[in-house]
Amino acid sequence: MTTVEDVKIIELPRFLDARGNLSFVEQNNHLPFEIKRTYWIYDVPGGENRGGHAFKENQEVVIALSGAFDVVVDDGKKKKSFCLNRSYYGLYIPSGLWRTIENFSTNSFALEFGSVSYSPNDYIHEYNEFLNLKKDGKI
Ligand code: TYD
């Protein structure tokens, strides 16, 4: 069973250069899974939140490619908030955690890598269902 202690910041390579900096990410190297999916969130209106749900299987890495936002993770017992505001930090989130993304700054851009292809069945949308599955050790 995963807990918020399993959520980790991954520091990505950085090539600092007077012409502009460069970072990169490789699956099975910087990320602890094979990338099956990449998606991004952008044009978030002020005050909106994204991603109030948990995944049964999908693991993720979230990067603030631009701007800043908070990723709040919750294992049913404890919550932790990570402020992402640098494009060379990835936040690894294992499966089985409730997570929301909040406090998007203007023009922020969230890039997300996932370990499974999109499947509506992988989502838990109800917080009480999440708590029950967690309590029963099913996720
Ligand atoms: P959702 O995961 O609910 O967004 P968030 O967690 O950020 O609030 O996805 C929103 C919509 O986008 C939903 O209708 C399904 C669709 N979607 C895909 O088709 N493929 C994907 O990989 C993702 C992440 C979402």
Side-chain angles (χ1 to χ4, degrees):
M1 264 201 10
T2 50
T3 75
V4 292
E5 306 308 330
D6 300 316
V7 178
K8 302 278 181 221
I9 292 279
I10 298 170
E11 192 162 351
L12 299 171
R14 264 193 288 171
F15 284 87
L16 303 181
D17 191 310
R19 300 169 301 160
N21 303 333
L22 181 149
S23 288
F24 64 94
V25 66
E26 291 174 347
Q27 65 182 4
N28 294 326
N29 183 0
H30 312 102
L31 307 192
F33 55 78
E34 262 188 37
I35 301 165
K36 288 283 169 54
R37 174 165 58 135
T38 304
Y39 62 97
W40 47 98
I41 295 170
Y42 53 98
D43 291 347
V44 179
E48 290 292 343
N49 296 334
R50 300 284 322 209
H53 54 67
F55 290 117
K56 295 176 200 160
E57 259 191 61
N58 188 46
Q59 306 168 60
E60 305 172 274
V61 167
V62 185
I63 301 174
L65 274 192
S66 171
F69 47 80
D70 297 330
V71 182
V72 182
V73 289
D74 175 349
D75 59 22
K77 290 192 175 141
K78 199 172 164 191
K79 278 189 190 187
K80 255 186 165 181
S81 179
F82 293 85
C83 177
L84 296 183
N85 57 8
R86 294 283 183 265
S87 62
Y88 49 84
Y89 286 130
L91 185 70
Y92 170 67
I93 310 173
S95 58
L97 297 178
W98 191 266
R99 64 113 174 105
T100 53
I101 310 181
E102 305 174 358
N103 296 323
F104 286 89
S105 71
T106 306
N107 288 331
S108 56
F109 176 16
L111 181 69
E112 308 204 15
F113 300 109
S115 67
V116 304
S117 300
Y118 175 69
S119 160
N121 295 334
D122 194 42
Y123 281 71
I124 303 160
H125 287 291
E126 295 298 327
Y127 188 67
N128 279 338
E129 184 193 354
F130 165 74
L131 288 179
N132 286 334
L133 290 169
K134 215 65 187 154
K135 192 160 50 102
D136 297 344
K138 292 192 174 145
I139 55 167

